Amino acid sequence: MAGERSKVLEFKELNNRSIVNLFIILIIISSLIIFSLSWFKQKPIKSYEIVGLKYFKKEFIDSILKNQRPENINESNLSKALSNLDFVQNVKIYRTDPEKIVIEVKEKEPIIEIAEKDGIVWLLDSNLNKIENKYAFASFPRFYCSSQFEQKNFPAEIKDIVKIMAQIKRNFPKFYRNISEVRINGEEITFFTNSSRTEVKMMKRNFPENALYVERLLARKDFLPFLKKELDFRFDGFLVVR
């Protein structure tokens, strides 16, 4: 009995030592990981890559980085600075190696270009966020506004055209890409195409079904005879070509 009890005690002692040794090893590994991460983040950034830009110029992000002091270039400071740009919805910054960061930008998606009567031009996204036109390298359909407006204080015509253009961009991309200008006169909408200045007229109440017809027409080769003409959908159920 005494021998068996001694063996049990020895086993427990060995087991306890193993647990203590394992605990010490885990502490050492954790310390090394924490030290490595800290060292990784403290290394000065020497290069960067910008990804995610589709509509806007990277030069504005470049200029922010150039104006930053080397010791201030880190993920947190850059994220705050870039979030102040009109066109940035959110930004994610991470390191791919100790001296390089990747700046992953999610843009606001412009829907239309608004030209005010004093010549100021803005971009608007589907949430009515104003974006300075200087940031964009892509072109968007233009709408001439008859009055000035402030952020979040938009006239009804602006809200209507943004809603209409957002739906056209989402559901009828070929038609959207061909629109250079759009006008609203009461319940009537007129679209002008990019190169041919073909006029497409329709009513607000049934623009989705007419836009679908134009979308299908643009996908066909026999659209050429309609170039530089007027396509009038304002008569329910009929297309008048002038």
Side-chain angles (χ1 to χ4, degrees):
M1 291 291 292
E4 290 180 1
R5 187 176 299 172
S6 176
K7 288 181 180 180
V8 169
L9 290 174
E10 286 179 8
F11 177 77
K12 287 184 177 180
E13 186 177 348
L14 286 172
N15 193 38
N16 289 337
R17 286 179 183 175
S18 298
I19 292 173
V20 170
N21 290 336
L22 179 61
F23 184 70
I24 292 172
I25 291 171
L26 288 174
I27 290 176
I28 293 172
I29 292 173
S30 299
S31 300
L32 288 172
I33 291 173
I34 292 170
F35 174 78
S36 298
L37 290 173
S38 177
W39 173 83
F40 193 82
K41 289 188 175 182
Q42 288 177 3
K43 291 283 288 183
I45 296 169
K46 294 184 178 179
S47 64
Y48 61 91
E49 179 184 1
I50 302 170
V51 298
L53 291 180
K54 182 178 178 182
Y55 304 110
F56 299 100
K57 303 171 186 175
K58 66 182 286 291
E59 286 78 7
F60 290 94
I61 295 177
D62 291 333
S63 65
I64 288 177
L65 283 158
K66 288 177 182 177
N67 292 330
Q68 293 273 335
R69 291 184 176 181
E71 63 270 19
N72 291 333
I73 297 180
N74 58 56
E75 291 89 330
S76 178
N77 290 341
L78 275 181
S79 182
K80 289 178 183 177
L82 297 178
S83 295
N84 290 327
L85 292 172
D86 281 357
F87 63 87
V88 173
Q89 182 167 322
N90 57 58
V91 61
K92 182 180 178 183
I93 301 172
Y94 52 90
R95 297 198 186 215
T96 53
D97 64 52
E99 297 178 338
K100 179 181 178 180
I101 59 170
V102 172
I103 302 170
E104 190 175 315
V105 179
K106 183 176 181 182
E107 303 169 299
K108 293 174 183 173
E109 187 173 349
I111 295 295
I112 196 163
E113 187 178 85
I114 305 293
E116 298 183 38
K117 62 180 182 179
D118 59 2
I120 296 176
V121 178
W122 295 89
L123 299 174
L124 286 178
D125 69 3
S126 58
N127 295 315
L128 296 174
N129 291 309
K130 289 174 70 173
I131 305 166
E132 286 192 65
N133 189 50
K134 68 179 182 180
Y135 293 123
F137 66 79
S139 59
F140 302 92
R142 175 170 287 199
F143 177 76
Y144 290 91
C145 184
S146 58
S147 58
Q148 291 181 319
F149 58 91
E150 300 296 331
Q151 178 77 20
K152 300 302 181 184
N153 185 24
F154 301 102
E157 62 176 351
I158 295 292
K159 294 179 181 178
D160 285 349
I161 198 61
V162 167
K163 185 177 180 181
I164 289 169
M165 294 305 294
Q167 190 170 342
I168 289 176
K169 184 174 185 178
R170 182 174 61 252
N171 298 329
F172 315 110
K174 285 188 178 67
F175 183 28
Y176 178 84
R177 288 194 298 269
N178 276 275
I179 298 171
S180 60
E181 184 185 335
V182 57
R183 299 176 187 174
I184 289 183
N185 182 18
E187 292 301 309
E188 298 180 2
I189 316 170
T190 302
F191 302 96
F192 295 88
T193 61
N194 289 325
S195 56
S196 64
R197 295 297 287 180
T198 301
E199 293 184 34
V200 182
K201 296 184 177 182
M202 56 185 71
M203 306 300 292
K204 285 183 184 178
R205 66 177 180 272
N206 55 5
F207 84 87
E209 59 193 72
N210 293 327
L212 175 60
Y213 185 90
V214 177
E215 180 82 358
R216 291 173 175 172
L217 199 61
L218 286 167
R220 291 160 46 181
K221 294 180 180 179
D222 55 358
F223 178 70
L224 293 177
F226 296 105
L227 294 179
K228 298 183 180 179
K229 294 186 178 181
E230 181 182 291
L231 308 183
D232 195 341
F233 291 90
R234 291 176 297 173
F235 308 97
D236 291 342
F238 296 94
L239 168 60
V240 178
V241 181
R242 298 185 182 89

